[in-house]
């Protein structure tokens, strides 16, 4: 009786459950902020501010200087050092042409961001000026200091227009409402965040955070605000008279900074994200729909400041020990030109396609077939691995050697199971000299302690020892591998014994705690009856 030869089926590799939880799309996005550039500053990095114009350079305030970094090279491009003492809160104007910064002496200075020329010195604060921001009209500056005052300056003449009083302690943060340029929020160590209307020069709302406030920011839509202080972040609804929406306590130490990015997140779920930094060394990312932490990063030192570029291409984090970490994303977001993004490139001239050039005769080769077109399927030739080809020709020893050479335990275990099913394992392991036995022993030493492959490889190890027991002492290299295999197995057995002892110590403790819990649950609770008056 004649039989037709069957087609060879490729070896199916063994599949094991994942050893760790797979990253979500959110986690993969934030992990793409890679290749960090670490720069040591002269002191703690107190503030980071990005420009709103392409290429989104950023200013770093540390010690007695404000340093501007180039976003493309992540290197220093210019420094501002005209401060008698510590500098604070270096911020750009919306057109990125001017820079304002406060100082320990209470003087607020305005510089030309290009030539580093000092243009104005605003002198009125009695103590350190920790806050300085340009207004959207580019002609005014709001500053706040440890003298508990908030001042509004006219940049054109360099004089104070008015002063806002109301804080009872140091003022350390300020933010402008992105949808209402006349509404400013200031916050400080008196636990209060005040909302000011600079038109009427009055405080229209007070928000009690419950702890000294380190930072305040408005959400992109302007209807919500967030304050950072203590170990919590408080989200407020400004359209509902300052109602507290959420209190997020995800940090173990003081939250020092907060940032909001309207374009952050993976492309499948791009939405505004909130980032917070704390003295516990963590930077955490929040989803603003659920206010849940979607990602967390750990830094070696306490985080004192952070900033993210408008196109989400750079993430800069400053630490208390002076370390500045600058991470770059592999795929920045596209910011419209009217919002400060890269201006559109001029379209290059495309010549008309005619029979005068070669591309005319190869047109259409990359077009995809339409839905109603008839497709001629092409049978693809099955590509076999080296071990598959050897298995197909019944060369079992060479197939095992080819699997071991891949250094992948799932391939080795699959080959061993296939050889055992074919009754070819004795032929694959037997008849080897010292050079042929050493790769097998090395593979056993490397993977025999892995619980996923231990049961299978232990059987292989027993067969190897039974087959070559009489050859011990012939080759020093083989003897060395056998000693190493013994050490690995002995270490694994010792760990199992220690774990069993630990389990024996924990079982009485767990049993007693569970028994006490059950007794508490079984205790009857007396009923309470209302008292009736006779």
């Amino acid at each position: 009786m004649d039989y037709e030869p069957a087609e060879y089926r490729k070896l199916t590799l063994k599949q094991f459950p994942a050893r760790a939880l797979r990253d979500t799309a959110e986690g993969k996005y934030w992990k793409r902020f890679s290749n960090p550039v670490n720069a040591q500053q002269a002191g703690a990095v107190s503030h980071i501010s990005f420009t709103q114009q392409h290429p989104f350079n950023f200013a770093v305030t540390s010690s007695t200087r404000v340093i501007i970094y180039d976003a493309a090279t992540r290197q220093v491009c210019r420094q501002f050092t005209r401060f008698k003492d510590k500098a604070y809160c270096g911020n750009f104007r919306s057109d990125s042409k001017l820079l304002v910064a406060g100082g320990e002496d209470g003087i607020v200075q305005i510089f030309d961001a290009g030539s580093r020329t000092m243009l104005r010195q605003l002198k009125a604060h009695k103590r350190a000026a920790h806050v300085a921001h340009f207004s959207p009209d580019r002609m005014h500056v709001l500053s706040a200091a440890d003298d508990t005052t908030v001042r509004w300056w006219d940049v054109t003449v360099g004089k104070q227009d008015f002063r806002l009083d109301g804080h009872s302690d140091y003022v350390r943060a300020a933010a402008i409402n992105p949808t209402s340029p006349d509404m400013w929020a200031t916050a400080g160590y008196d636990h209060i965040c005040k909302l000011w209307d600079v038109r009427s020069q009055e405080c229209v709302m007070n928000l009690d955070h419950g702890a000294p406030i380190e930072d305040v920011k408005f959400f992109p839509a302007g209807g919500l605000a967030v304050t950072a202080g203590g170990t919590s972040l408080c989200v407020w609804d400004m359209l509902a008279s300052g109602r507290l929406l959420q209190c997020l306590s995800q940090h173990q130490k003081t939250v020092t900074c907060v940032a909001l990015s309207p374009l952050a997140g993976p492309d499948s779920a791009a939405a505004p994200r909130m980032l917070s930094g704390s003295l516990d060394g963590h930077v955490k990312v929040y989803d603003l729909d659920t206010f849940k932490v979607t990602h967390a990063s750990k830094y070696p030192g306490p985080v004192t400041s952070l900033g993210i570029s408008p196109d989400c291409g750079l993430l800069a984090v400053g630490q208390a020990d002076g370390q500045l970490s600058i991470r770059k994303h592999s795929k920045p977001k596209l910011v419209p030109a009217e919002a400060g993004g890269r201006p559109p490139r001029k379209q290059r001239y495309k010549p008309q396609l005619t029979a005068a050039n070669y591309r005319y005769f190869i047109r259409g080769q990359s077009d995809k077939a339409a839905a109603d077109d008839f497709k001629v399927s092409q049978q693809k030739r099955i590509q076999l691995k080296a071990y598959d080809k050897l298995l197909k020709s019944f060369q079992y020893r060479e197939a095992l050697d080819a699997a071991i050479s891949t250094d992948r335990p799932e391939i080795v275990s699959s080959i061993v199971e296939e050889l055992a099913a074919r009754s070819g394992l004795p032929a694959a392991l037997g008849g080897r000299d010292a050079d042929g036995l050493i790769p097998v022993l090395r593979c056993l030493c490397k993977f025999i302690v892995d619980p996923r492959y231990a049961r299978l490889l232990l059987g292989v190890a027993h067969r190897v020892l039974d087959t070559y027991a009489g050859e011990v002492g012939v080759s020093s290299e083989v003897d060395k591998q056998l000693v190493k295999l013994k050490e690995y197995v002995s270490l694994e057995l010792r760990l199992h014994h220690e774990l069993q002892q630990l389990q024996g110590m924990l079982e009485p403790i767990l049993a007693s705690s569970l028994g006490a819990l059950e007794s508490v649950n079984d205790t009857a609770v007396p009923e309470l009856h209302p008292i009736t008056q006779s």
Side-chain angles (χ1 to χ4, degrees):
M1 186 176 179
D2 296 334
Y3 293 95
E4 294 183 0
E7 185 180 353
Y8 175 78
R9 293 184 180 180
K10 293 176 63 176
L11 180 69
T12 303
L13 300 182
K14 296 186 66 174
Q15 300 292 332
F16 294 93
R19 303 186 68 176
L21 295 177
R22 294 185 177 180
D23 288 335
T24 61
E26 186 81 14
K28 291 179 180 179
Y29 172 82
W30 291 104
K31 285 184 178 180
R32 284 189 173 181
F33 281 96
S34 56
N35 301 326
V37 173
N38 295 319
Q40 180 64 46
Q41 308 300 320
V45 181
S46 60
H47 189 73
I48 298 174
S49 173
F50 278 87
T51 65
Q52 299 301 312
Q53 302 291 328
H54 187 269
F56 306 119
N57 296 337
F58 59 98
V60 175
T61 307
S62 174
S63 185
T64 59
R65 64 191 66 185
V66 178
I67 307 169
I68 298 181
Y69 280 82
D70 187 276
T73 62
R74 293 182 283 179
Q75 300 296 325
V76 177
C77 58
R78 60 184 67 90
Q79 299 186 28
F80 299 86
T81 59
R82 301 186 64 173
F83 297 93
K84 296 180 180 179
D85 208 329
K86 290 183 179 180
Y88 298 109
C89 200
N91 281 305
F92 287 99
R93 199 169 68 172
S94 58
D95 59 358
S96 308
K97 294 182 178 180
L98 298 184
L99 179 79
V100 63
E104 185 70 27
D105 54 3
I107 300 176
V108 178
Q109 303 184 65
I110 300 175
F111 301 91
D112 187 316
S115 64
R116 299 184 298 175
T117 304
M118 185 175 64
L119 303 178
R120 293 284 187 272
Q121 280 192 336
L122 311 178
K123 301 179 181 179
H125 289 293
K126 306 301 181 183
R127 293 187 179 181
H130 283 264
V131 180
H133 291 276
F134 276 103
S135 66
D137 62 9
R138 304 181 183 178
M139 297 300 173
H140 295 87
V141 166
L142 181 135
S143 65
D146 288 351
D147 59 5
T148 72
T149 62
V150 179
R151 300 175 188 267
W152 185 260
W153 304 87
D154 188 343
V155 176
T156 57
V157 297
K159 293 184 179 180
Q160 174 184 313
D161 281 352
F162 53 84
R163 188 179 77 179
L164 303 174
D165 296 318
H167 286 284
S168 58
D169 207 335
Y170 300 161
V171 184
R172 290 299 174 90
I176 185 172
N177 193 317
T179 59
S180 179
D182 297 315
M183 304 302 294
W184 287 78
T186 60
Y189 286 179
D190 56 359
H191 304 189
I192 302 297
C193 175
K194 292 182 175 290
L195 185 65
W196 304 92
D197 188 343
V198 296
R199 295 168 296 187
S200 61
Q201 305 175 23
E202 293 181 353
C203 176
V204 297
M205 193 179 300
N206 289 314
L207 309 174
D208 188 359
H209 182 84
I213 301 177
E214 300 286 347
D215 203 358
V216 60
K217 289 288 188 299
F218 278 96
F219 281 43
L224 302 178
V226 57
T227 54
T231 59
S232 61
L233 295 165
C234 291
V235 181
W236 309 88
D237 188 351
M238 310 303 289
L239 302 180
S241 302
R243 180 172 63 91
L244 179 63
L245 287 181
Q246 290 284 337
C247 183
L248 310 174
S249 300
Q250 303 292 342
H251 290 280
Q252 303 299 320
K253 293 185 179 180
T254 301
V255 184
T256 56
C257 49
V258 63
L260 287 140
S261 177
L263 300 177
D267 294 335
S268 59
R273 296 290 192 274
M274 181 170 64
L275 293 83
S276 64
S278 169
L279 294 181
D280 58 10
H282 284 90
V283 172
K284 299 193 176 183
V285 183
Y286 302 83
D287 182 4
L288 298 187
D289 292 332
T290 60
F291 293 104
K292 292 183 179 179
V293 176
T294 59
H295 184 73
S297 301
K298 182 70 173 70
Y299 288 84
V303 176
T304 54
S305 58
L306 65 88
I308 185 169
S309 61
D311 64 347
C312 304
L314 287 178
L315 176 64
V317 177
Q319 302 171 48
D321 58 359
Q323 280 287 333
L324 174 67
S325 175
I326 310 169
R327 297 177 181 267
K328 191 172 185 178
H329 199 275
S330 58
K331 293 179 62 177
K333 302 290 185 179
L334 181 62
V335 179
E338 58 271 13
R342 183 194 297 269
R345 296 180 179 179
K346 294 182 179 180
Q347 293 185 355
R348 300 177 64 180
Y349 171 74
K350 294 183 178 180
Q352 187 177 2
L353 193 62
T354 63
N357 50 44
Y358 174 70
R359 292 183 59 193
Y360 178 81
F361 298 97
I362 62 172
R363 66 190 188 280
Q365 291 187 1
S366 60
D367 292 347
K368 295 182 179 180
D372 54 348
D373 288 343
F374 178 77
K375 300 179 183 179
V376 179
S377 60
Q378 181 181 4
Q379 291 185 353
K380 294 184 179 180
R381 186 177 179 182
I382 299 176
Q383 299 292 333
L384 297 179
K385 302 290 185 182
Y387 50 83
D388 273 316
K389 294 179 181 179
L390 294 168
L391 277 178
K392 185 178 180 181
S393 58
F394 302 99
Q395 301 180 40
Y396 295 152
R397 186 184 307 165
E398 291 77 5
L400 181 59
D401 292 338
I404 292 175
S405 64
T406 62
D407 201 28
R408 293 177 58 186
E410 64 272 15
I411 296 179
V412 176
S413 60
S414 300
I415 286 286
V416 170
E417 287 189 348
E418 180 68 18
L419 291 174
R422 296 186 180 195
S423 300
L425 193 57
L429 294 175
R432 292 175 177 265
D433 56 4
D435 294 336
L437 188 59
I438 288 174
V440 179
L441 293 175
R442 285 177 178 169
C443 179
L444 291 174
C445 292
K446 188 171 184 179
F447 301 116
I448 198 169
V449 295
D450 193 323
R452 297 177 295 175
Y453 314 105
R455 184 182 297 273
L456 182 65
L457 295 183
L458 280 173
V460 177
H462 282 300
R463 183 174 291 275
V464 170
L465 294 176
D466 292 341
T467 304
Y468 297 97
E471 306 297 331
V472 176
V474 176
S475 172
S476 59
E477 188 65 28
V478 172
D479 294 343
K480 187 185 297 183
Q481 295 297 326
L482 289 174
V483 172
K484 188 181 295 185
L485 179 61
K486 178 183 176 182
E487 291 176 354
Y488 284 144
V489 174
S490 300
L491 178 60
E492 188 70 13
L493 290 175
R494 187 163 62 251
L495 291 176
H496 278 276
H497 289 312
E498 292 176 358
L499 288 175
Q500 287 178 350
Q501 293 176 1
L502 181 61
Q503 182 181 2
M505 290 186 292
L506 289 176
E507 282 180 353
I509 300 174
L510 294 175
S512 61
S513 61
L514 291 175
L517 182 61
E518 290 177 357
S519 62
V520 170
N521 293 334
D522 293 339
T523 303
V525 179
E527 294 184 2
L528 299 179
H529 299 282
I531 300 176
T532 57
Q533 296 181 358
S534 57

